[in-house]
Every structure is written in C-alpha cells, then in structure tokens.
Amino acid sequence: MAVQTFPYSAFLRGPSQVLPSLDDADVILERRDEENLVLMRAERFEATASGMRIAARSLAILARRKLDLAEEVLAEELPWLHWLPESERATCVRELLADLVAGADTGLLLPFARNLASWRATAEVWSDPQLARELQGPFPGDGPELDRPRPEDAE
C-alpha cells in the first residue's frame, strides 16, 4: 500500500487538497511537536485489522500445537531470540503471542510493542555473558534501613 506524507498544516489549511489522496494511499500527517497522524479509509483499516487478527490467532494456534516450530518461525523474524536462554525463549514466545492476539482482537497493540521491546532488551543483556552474570546477583547489601513513615509526617 502506498503512503503519502503531508504537513499537518496543509491538512488544516485545506483538507480537500489532502483527502483525495486517500483514494490510492494512506496519508501521514507530519506534526512538528507531536506524534504524526495516519489517515486511512475505514475499509482499509478494517481489512488490516482483520488480517492481523487472523494472522495472530493462526500463529498462536501453531504455538500451542508445535511450540518449537513457532519459536523457529519467530526466530527468523526476531533473530535476537537466539540470545535468550532456552528456558526463557518459550516464555517469550508465549507472552508475545498472547499480547499479539489480544492486541489484534482489541486494536491495542501498544502492550505487544512494549513487551517486544522489553524482551529484546532482555535478549541483548543475555548476549553479554559478563553483564548477564552481574545482573543475576547476588547484590551487596539491602540498602539503608528506613523508619516507617508516621501519619503525622504526611501532614
């Protein structure tokens, strides 16, 4: 699908100059101090959402029946999975697929994106054996002991 980009101000000055582009493409409205906006026809949005739901559920079914195959498929798309210990790889795949299925069903994919970034960061830590050892502890001390706050201190 083609994408056309316009400054947000062009849309504000004359939507009729931007909206015809939706016949052939999705439109990105670039804003200076905010996140960009995407305009698309509802039919294309629904087709994308429907395709996402079907793909996510299909991959989740595959993972339930053949976890090793699902890991292999995801490892091709997410090569950093290789850095995770095997015990964590299966957990990662299950969590990502659960978030993907829930996100595809609800349209809320930010939890999936956050979990994906978190697992990638975890894999990057595991890629450095020294750092991975250090982060597994033990950690010296528990920190300073603090007195329990008293109700009159909150006033």
Side-chain angles (χ1 to χ4, degrees):
M1 167 60 28
V3 175
Q4 289 191 331
T5 303
F6 293 91
Y8 184 65
S9 58
F11 179 72
L12 293 176
R13 281 193 308 274
S16 61
Q17 294 176 357
V18 174
L19 294 178
S21 298
L22 290 170
D23 290 341
D24 303 314
D26 294 337
V27 171
I28 295 177
L29 299 176
E30 292 181 330
R31 301 190 301 172
R32 288 187 197 155
D33 298 330
E34 300 283 337
E35 284 190 56
N36 293 341
L37 301 175
V38 177
L39 296 177
M40 63 174 31
R41 291 192 174 272
E43 180 182 38
R44 283 198 299 263
F45 175 81
E46 289 302 323
T48 300
S50 176
M52 171 69 85
R53 280 191 296 275
I54 290 168
R57 287 186 180 132
S58 298
L59 189 53
I61 290 167
L62 171 66
R64 279 195 302 273
R65 294 188 181 161
K66 302 223 180 235
L67 183 59
D68 57 331
L69 182 57
E71 282 182 28
E72 184 181 322
V73 168
L74 280 177
E76 282 191 37
E77 183 61 29
L78 309 171
W80 48 261
L81 280 175
H82 169 75
W83 291 331
L84 290 173
E86 286 209 30
S87 60
E88 289 196 35
R89 209 172 297 149
T91 302
C92 173
V93 168
R94 276 193 305 275
E95 283 185 15
L96 290 177
L97 287 176
D99 282 345
L100 184 61
V101 169
D105 195 53
T106 62
L108 300 173
L109 289 166
L110 280 177
F112 167 76
R114 288 183 192 120
N115 204 7
L116 181 67
S118 177
W119 274 110
R120 181 181 174 144
T122 300
E124 289 172 0
V125 168
W126 279 107
S127 74
D128 180 343
Q130 177 65 31
L131 181 57
R133 272 192 302 279
E134 289 174 17
L135 291 176
Q136 289 180 56
F139 301 105
D142 292 333
E145 189 170 321
L146 299 175
D147 293 330
R148 186 173 205 80
R150 296 176 299 190
E152 59 270 11
D153 292 341
E155 296 173 358

